[in-house]
């Protein structure tokens, strides 16, 4: 959980080589960033009130020749601990915006994009220094189409700084999403002060929503709380029809998960929309 909801760790007798693996990934990641070999997959987020894909989340993908596919949880963590997060994130934002342009050029109406950012990126910078400002201008993508996803840990380190930073990102027009909600430690009083537009309910609450009364009640409460605070909810990790029906009945309007689609590369994402949401495609 400390590494984020979607992470897992494998404990083997080779754990003593964890430091070696970290070091190896760090060196290879530096090359991969330099050669722009980090790719992005896009997962649709469906607005069930309109029945259309209103946005997508960009998720980083990296396959090394020798090590094979490495999860974003693992390489983002290495990047955060080595300073590589800055060039990595720059590459990710640049690619996400340029591929969004490609996706939107195939669509009748543009969709929005959610991009994950690491708290580490923001700890010692102001919103004015965030490269996403210039990149969005250069790429001709209005800030209003961009949502920055941050996890709760961001608010804990320095809440006052976080509020200032988030408020000025909002002033520039960006939307903000609180990711993996429920897995961290955010207190209600903090939540009230932070200008988040979206609250993303972590997959771990959705998984057993059909079978576990506690999870059902928790999700119900989270959705209600978001409504009171004026935030929109996105349910993460919706995998089947039954989960979808329950979440819909609880009033959550935005749905993300394998039920609709796994994350896909930009061209497959366009193909998916053609097939599953033909009315949106030119
Ligand atoms: P996240 O931002 O919470 O992203 C959602 C994760 O849930 C993704 O895992 C996605 O593939 C997975 N997921 C979505 N729907 C389902 C479902 O129905 N079932 C299951 N089992 N899984 C589902 P992924 O791509 O492995 O990413 C894991 C985490 O790595 C992300 O969690 C995010 O915290 C981080 N991450 C990924 N890309 C980036 C990035 O570009 N920058 C940063 N800073 N972090 C990233
Ligand atoms: Mg998650
Ligand atoms: Mg996310
Ligand atoms: Mg999440």
């Amino acid at each position: 959980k400390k590494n984020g909801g979607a992470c897992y760790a494998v404990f083997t007798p080779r754990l003593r080589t964890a430091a070696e693996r970290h070091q190896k990934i760090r060196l290879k990641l530096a090359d991969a960033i330099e050669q722009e070999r980090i790719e992005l997959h896009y997962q649709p987020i469906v607005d069930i009130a309109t029945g259309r894909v209103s946005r997508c989340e960009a998720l980083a993908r990296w396959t090394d020749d020798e090590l094979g596919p490495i999860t974003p949880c693992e390489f983002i963590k290495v990047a955060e601990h080595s300073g590589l997060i800055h060039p990595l994130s720059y590459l990710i934002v640049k690619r996400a915006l340029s591929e969004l342009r490609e996706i939107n050029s195939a669509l009748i109406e543009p969709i929005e994009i959610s991009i994950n950012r690491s708290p580490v990126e923001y700890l010692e910078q102001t919103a004015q220094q965030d490269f996403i400002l210039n990149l969005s201008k250069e790429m001709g993508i209005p800030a209003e189409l961009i949502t920055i996803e941050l996890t709760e840990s961001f608010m804990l380190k320095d809440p006052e700084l976080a509020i200032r930073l988030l408020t000025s990102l909002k002033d520039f027009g960006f939307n903000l999403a609180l990711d993996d909600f429920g897995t961290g430690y955010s207190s209600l009083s903090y939540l009230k002060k932070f200008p988040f537009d979206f609250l993303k309910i972590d997959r771990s609450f959705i998984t057993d929503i059909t079978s576990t009364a506690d999870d059902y009640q928790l999700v119900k409460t989270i959705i209600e709380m978001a409504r009171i605070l004026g935030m929109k909810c996105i349910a993460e990790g919706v995998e089947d029809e039954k989960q979808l029906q329950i979440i819909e009945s609880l009033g959550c309007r935005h749905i993300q998960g394998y039920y609709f689609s796994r994350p896909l590369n930009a061209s497959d994402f366009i193909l998916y929309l053609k097939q599953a949401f033909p009315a949106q495609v030119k």
Side-chain angles (χ1 to χ4, degrees), residues 6 20-21 45 57 71 109 118 130 151 210 215 221 235 260 275:
E20 283 164 37
R21 180 171 165 92
I45 299 173
E57 178 172 7
T71 66
E109 266 185 70
S118 157
D130 190 350
T151 53
T210 51
D215 286 357
T221 306
F260 287 109
Q275 199 189 33

Side-chain angles (χ1 to χ4, degrees), residues 57-59 114-116 149-151 179-180 200 236 256:
E57 178 172 7
L59 294 155
S114 292
I115 303 177
N116 295 284
E149 294 197 2
L150 288 159
T151 53
D179 207 350
D180 301 339
K200 298 192 78 173
E236 283 188 324
Q256 178 177 4

Side-chain angles (χ1 to χ4, degrees), residues 110-164:
I111 60 168
E112 303 186 19
I113 193 162
S114 292
I115 303 177
N116 295 284
R117 303 291 298 272
S118 157
V120 177
E121 293 183 61
Y122 284 118
L123 288 181
E124 65 226 15
Q125 83 171 3
T126 65
Q128 286 75 9
Q129 294 165 324
D130 190 350
F131 49 67
I132 201 167
L133 258 180
N134 280 329
L135 282 176
S136 65
K137 280 182 200 138
E138 270 168 41
M139 305 266 177
I141 301 200
E144 289 71 19
L145 289 189
I146 302 169
T147 297
I148 297 171
E149 294 197 2
L150 288 159
T151 53
E152 290 164 275
S153 66
F154 177 64
M155 312 192 293
L156 285 173
K157 297 241 161 86
D158 186 344
E160 294 309 316
L161 175 87
I163 290 176
R164 261 182 282 132

Side-chain angles (χ1 to χ4, degrees), residues 82-100:
S82 60
L84 286 173
I85 192 66
H86 301 289
L88 174 60
S89 181
Y90 183 84
L91 177 61
I92 287 170
V93 172
K94 194 175 79 170
R95 173 155 289 177
L97 296 184
S98 112
E99 291 187 326
L100 178 69

